[in-house]
Amino acid sequence: HYPLRRQRQMCIRDRIEALDHRLSGQIESLEWRLNGRIDALDSKLTARIDTLDKEVADIATRFFGAA
């Protein structure tokens, strides 16, 4: 009876370890994808902010004249 219980415990442990390994890989993959998307969005937002800054400066120059 004891060897069967031990074997069952080891089987459960092995399944848990395999699942943990698989989930860890999936989480790492998601992190890479999310970081790439965050970097892309950051670049787009930075470019848009730069464009808006220039537009505001042009409007201010037209409205208030050259400083």
Side-chain angles (χ1 to χ4, degrees):
H1 186 259
Y2 175 75
L4 290 176
R5 184 185 323 167
R6 179 77 177 134
Q7 183 179 5
R8 183 169 173 247
Q9 289 171 342
M10 291 172 60
C11 182
I12 291 169
R13 183 203 63 206
D14 291 346
R15 279 189 279 158
I16 290 171
E17 288 177 0
L19 181 60
D20 182 50
H21 180 72
R22 190 171 63 207
L23 289 175
S24 294
Q26 290 175 349
I27 289 170
E28 186 175 330
S29 175
L30 285 172
E31 287 174 343
W32 277 96
R33 288 171 49 200
L34 286 173
N35 285 335
R37 289 181 180 177
I38 289 169
D39 290 344
L41 285 173
D42 184 52
S43 295
K44 288 180 181 179
L45 287 172
T46 300
R48 184 64 180 135
I49 289 169
D50 289 344
T51 300
L52 290 172
D53 283 344
K54 290 175 185 171
E55 289 176 8
V56 168
D58 289 345
I59 292 168
T61 300
R62 280 185 281 166
F63 187 73
F64 296 111

